[in-house]
Amino acid sequence: MDPDYPVTPVPRHARKGFFSLMVVLLGFTIFTPTMLAGATLGTSFGLSDLLLIILLGSLVLGAYVAVLGWIGARTGLTTVVMARYALGTRGSKLASVLLGGTQIGWYGVVIGTIGDLTAQAFGWDSYPARAAIMVAVSALMCATACYGYRGMYWVSLVSTPLILILAFWVMFRSLDEVGGWAGLAAIHPTASMSLAAAVTTVVGTFVSAGTQAPNWTRFGRTGGQAVVACLVGFLIGNGLMIFFGAIGAITFGEGDFVLVLYQLGLVGWGLFLLFGNLWKSNADTAYAFGVAGAELFEKPSKIPFVIGGSVIGTVLALVGVHEHLPQYLGLLGTFIPPLGGVIVGDYLARWRRTQMPEGEPLPRVNPVNLAAYALACAAAWVSGQTGFGIPPVIGILVALVLSMALSRLSPRRPR
């Protein structure tokens, strides 16, 4: 039996304390590509407006993830297993394919990014050199994910504090370039962006990955611990990375601190930031598609699916598909937040007292919640096309309200 319990509730003896949860979730969100989202905000707003937007977006993101994390700790279940109770034993396969497939794609993007940036640092232009880097780092990340929660905890415990110290050093170095906080506040925006688009950018950075927060909070001893750990990770950690990216874009014209360190001639520190950061974040990604695969094929171990997904993601990076995936994967992100909304709404309406008991007879398909999910996805897509509202938030709210309002119509037994 897999010690990480991918398809069964985490037993009480395997639960972790608050500090452990906080370390893992903070390590999950201290993710350098998030800085690129901050870079788009940094050139579009003054300092006071920028801080307000980051705070508002991070509060929305943190609140959503905290509720899902709370449910994960109370039930001991992963997101894809909770989807069985909301969508049915067959309907939940949609969640496993969507969440697992998207994470494999992002895994490939990160592997390709590491290969390209490492080759850039050493001036290696040959394809074999980049390919060797991609294969080596993928094997390391895959092994960490196979080791499970404990593996990700120890990697995060060691690397996250060092990465934050380095990031704060770069930030203060950046402030020196513009004359401190006063100089930064005096810089006028060179681009424009609407408030709704800016908040969407902040929320969108981690709303899809945050939907899978129960994969880790299910190890929490209490729901309260999970809520606070999620807020530390997604409100503070993710908000800091967006702010760092904004600072880098304003002062150096580059949001990614890895490339800022390259510009400063600190290639070694840049590589440390690159590897330390993406190692732990991509191990979390591999873990996520591992538990999704275990649910999809109803197997007790995540390890074969971690390995298989890592191989697929690495192949995508080796053939260069990773350069074309981000926009497509971002589109899929429209369809992931409503899934979290359905799970939250259905839990509050039908499962809060019984905590999704193991062995509960469930219908193969719950057409009511599937319809709520489809309508919420449509609402989120229309929101994005028209520029009205914040698409991920619209999708979550519509899914939550519909699943709660229609809960009495949901089948309770197999049909």
Side-chain angles (χ1 to χ4, degrees):
M1 178 66 79
D2 191 318
D4 281 305
Y5 315 97
V7 292
T8 57
V10 177
R12 302 307 303 181
H13 68 81
R15 300 296 181 103
K16 312 294 182 183
F18 166 73
F19 180 77
S20 175
L21 285 181
M22 182 191 69
V23 167
V24 170
L25 289 174
L26 194 59
F28 186 38
T29 55
I30 300 298
F31 185 52
T32 51
T34 302
M35 293 180 178
L36 300 180
T40 64
L41 301 179
T43 57
S44 302
F45 297 94
L47 180 60
S48 59
D49 290 336
L50 174 67
L51 293 174
L52 180 61
I53 287 167
I54 293 175
L55 177 61
L56 179 59
S58 298
L59 282 171
V60 172
L61 176 63
Y64 165 66
V65 176
V67 174
L68 271 174
W70 173 70
I71 297 174
R74 287 172 66 86
T75 62
L77 300 174
T78 64
T79 302
V80 289
V81 174
M82 289 194 293
R84 291 180 180 177
Y85 292 79
L87 304 178
T89 56
R90 289 292 175 265
S92 66
K93 306 309 177 188
L94 170 65
S96 296
V97 170
L98 185 61
L99 294 175
T102 305
Q103 292 300 296
I104 288 175
W106 281 120
Y107 183 91
V109 169
V110 170
I111 293 297
T113 300
I114 290 177
D116 291 343
L117 290 179
T118 304
Q120 177 182 335
F122 289 105
W124 297 338
D125 296 325
S126 68
Y127 173 77
R130 296 201 314 274
I133 294 167
M134 293 180 195
V135 172
V137 297
S138 179
L140 182 63
M141 294 167 180
C142 176
T144 304
C146 286
Y147 193 60
Y149 182 98
R150 290 178 61 194
M152 291 177 289
Y153 167 74
W154 284 109
V155 171
S156 296
L157 183 65
V158 173
S159 64
T160 301
L162 297 175
I163 289 168
L164 284 174
I165 291 170
L166 183 58
F168 273 107
W169 180 86
V170 176
M171 183 189 75
F172 288 118
R173 178 70 175 79
S174 300
L175 289 173
D176 288 341
E177 294 288 319
V178 295
W181 293 105
L184 184 67
I187 296 176
H188 297 288
T190 58
S192 62
M193 181 185 294
S194 68
L195 176 63
V199 175
T200 299
T201 299
V202 177
V203 176
T205 53
F206 250 89
V207 69
S208 296
T211 302
Q212 302 191 69
N215 293 351
W216 298 278
T217 63
R218 65 199 176 98
F219 286 92
R221 293 195 180 113
T222 68
Q225 289 180 347
V227 168
V228 178
C230 286
L231 291 176
V232 170
F234 289 84
L235 175 61
I236 299 175
N238 191 64
L240 277 176
M241 298 310 287
I242 293 173
F243 182 66
F244 290 153
I247 295 292
I250 294 171
T251 57
F252 286 101
E254 177 58 65
D256 190 337
F257 275 13
V258 173
L259 298 179
V260 171
L261 287 166
Y262 285 3
Q263 290 182 23
L264 294 173
L266 303 173
V267 175
W269 285 112
L271 287 174
F272 170 78
L273 181 61
L274 175 70
F275 279 100
N277 180 265
L278 297 185
W279 175 12
K280 58 185 176 53
S281 297
N282 228 29
D284 290 337
T285 301
Y287 184 89
F289 60 67
V291 297
E295 194 287 326
L296 180 63
F297 293 97
E298 300 182 4
K299 299 295 183 181
S301 174
K302 70 182 185 302
I303 293 177
F305 306 102
V306 170
I307 296 172
S310 299
V311 170
I312 294 171
T314 305
V315 170
L316 290 175
L318 290 172
V319 299
V321 177
H322 70 279
E323 298 176 358
H324 309 286
L325 280 176
Q327 185 176 3
Y328 171 68
L329 294 171
L331 176 64
L332 287 180
T334 302
F335 306 109
I336 292 177
L339 174 64
V342 167
I343 290 174
V344 171
D346 190 66
Y347 172 83
L348 294 177
R350 300 199 299 150
W351 301 106
R352 187 173 179 179
R353 292 184 178 180
T354 58
Q355 303 304 321
M356 297 179 173
E358 186 178 8
E360 176 79 7
L362 299 170
R364 292 169 62 87
V365 174
N366 185 332
V368 174
N369 281 339
L370 283 171
Y373 169 73
L375 289 172
C377 288
W381 183 82
V382 170
S383 173
Q385 294 298 307
T386 60
F388 175 78
I390 304 170
V393 176
I394 294 292
I396 292 167
L397 291 177
V398 170
L400 190 152
V401 170
L402 287 177
S403 59
M404 290 190 71
L406 302 176
S407 62
R408 291 182 179 276
L409 302 178
S410 292
R412 297 286 305 211
R413 300 294 178 186
R415 293 190 299 176

